[in-house]
């Protein structure tokens, strides 16, 4: 194996151990997975260590491992997904949710790694690329993405509920849902 193009040095903007993921590292393009990308951006801005803790790099293999969650028997179960250099290149070529396909840069790669991992959880045959996985993640709900990323179920406030409850009650529900620092997205 030659030198990998993407390493832990490419994960975040800048260089060094103190770098953090940021919502501005994301730019949704071709995939219709705004619900997932929105959760990544919100998490990066409010709880960047969640993203950092979810990604590890294996220098021997030149691969990343992402920890996500799936529900098993009503409880969150951690799953580990390996993301290869080929997976990263495919995501960028397809116009995934990072800024890399728009800038030609090699950093920050964390949105690509996270998006490819999420697609892999929905793909049954990784050997033929991740088309099935990317097709499967097109369209969804923020609460599904939040669960995949954090293992926590989010709080839903339905439009009908918001209309009948009034602004003050909706504000209270949102406030209570994001304290202590928890991510919030709009599923509209």
């Amino acid at each position: 194996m030659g030198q990998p193009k993407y390493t832990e040095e490419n994960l975040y903007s800048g260089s060094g151990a103190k770098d953090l993921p940021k919502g501005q590292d994301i730019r949704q393009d071709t995939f219709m997975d705004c619900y997932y990308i929105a959760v990544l951006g919100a998490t990066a801005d409010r709880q960047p260590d969640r993203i950092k803790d979810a990604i590890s790099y294996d220098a021997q293999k030149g691969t990343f491992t992402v920890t996500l969650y799936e529900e098993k028997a009503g409880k969150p179960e951690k799953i580990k997904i390996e993301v290869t250099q080929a997976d990263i290149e495919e995501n960028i070529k397809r116009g995934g949710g990072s800024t890399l396909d728009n800038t030609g840069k090699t950093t920050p790669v964390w949105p690509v790694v996270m998006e490819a991992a999420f697609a892999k959880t929905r793909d049954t045959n990784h050997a033929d690329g991740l088309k099935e996985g990317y097709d499967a993640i097109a369209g969804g709900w923020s609460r599904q993405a939040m669960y995949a990323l954090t293992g926590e179920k989010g709080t839903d406030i339905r439009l009908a509920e918001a209309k009948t409850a009034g602004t003050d009650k909706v504000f209270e529900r949102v406030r209570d849902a994001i304290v202590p620092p928890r991510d919030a997205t709009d599923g509209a």
Side-chain angles (χ1 to χ4, degrees), residues 171-187:
F171 176 77
E172 287 174 24
R173 293 270 320 270
V174 171
R175 183 195 62 217
D176 293 345
I178 63 173
V179 175
R182 291 173 53 199
D183 307 325
T185 60
D186 176 2

Side-chain angles (χ1 to χ4, degrees), residues 27-58:
R27 180 173 175 190
Q28 184 190 5
D29 282 342
T30 313
F31 306 143
M32 294 182 290
D33 63 347
C34 59
Y35 67 99
Y36 183 68
I37 295 301
V39 168
L40 285 180
T43 303
D45 285 341
R46 292 195 39 107
Q47 298 181 57
D49 285 333
R50 273 207 196 244
I51 303 288
K52 284 188 86 162
D53 293 345
I55 304 172
S56 62
Y57 179 70
D58 183 333

Side-chain angles (χ1 to χ4, degrees), residues 2-180:
Q3 284 294 106
K5 184 173 182 178
Y6 302 98
T7 70
E8 61 195 343
E9 296 297 317
N10 301 98
L11 275 172
Y12 311 107
S13 297
S15 60
K18 293 185 180 182
D19 292 329
L20 295 171
K22 301 173 191 73
Q24 70 188 25
D25 298 336
I26 292 171
R27 180 173 175 190
Q28 184 190 5
D29 282 342
T30 313
F31 306 143
M32 294 182 290
D33 63 347
C34 59
Y35 67 99
Y36 183 68
I37 295 301
V39 168
L40 285 180
T43 303
D45 285 341
R46 292 195 39 107
Q47 298 181 57
D49 285 333
R50 273 207 196 244
I51 303 288
K52 284 188 86 162
D53 293 345
I55 304 172
S56 62
Y57 179 70
D58 183 333
Q60 296 272 323
K61 293 169 57 178
T63 61
F64 294 90
T65 299
V66 175
T67 302
L68 294 175
Y69 294 85
E70 286 184 342
E71 191 167 351
K72 302 279 184 181
K75 296 186 180 196
E77 182 178 295
K78 284 185 180 182
I79 57 170
K80 303 237 180 232
I81 302 102
E82 183 178 74
V83 177
T84 67
Q85 297 288 314
D87 297 333
I88 293 168
E89 291 290 349
E90 180 182 2
N91 179 284
I92 294 168
K93 182 178 160 191
R94 288 179 178 270
S98 76
T99 57
L100 300 187
D101 59 313
N102 302 300
T103 64
K105 296 180 180 179
T106 59
T107 187
V109 75
W110 73 267
V112 172
V113 171
M114 295 297 291
E115 190 174 40
F118 190 55
K120 274 190 152 180
T121 66
R122 308 304 196 270
D123 195 290
T124 59
N125 183 8
H126 306 162
D128 68 352
L130 296 176
K131 181 182 181 332
E132 177 188 10
Y134 288 124
D135 288 348
I137 66 172
W141 297 99
S142 296
R143 69 179 167 276
Q144 296 166 324
M146 187 69 71
Y147 193 87
L149 185 60
T150 67
E152 299 173 9
K153 293 186 177 187
T155 301
D156 288 332
I157 302 171
R158 305 267 184 228
L159 182 58
E161 177 188 355
K163 286 180 179 178
T164 58
T167 306
D168 290 340
K169 289 288 185 195
V170 170
F171 176 77
E172 287 174 24
R173 293 270 320 270
V174 171
R175 183 195 62 217
D176 293 345
I178 63 173
V179 175

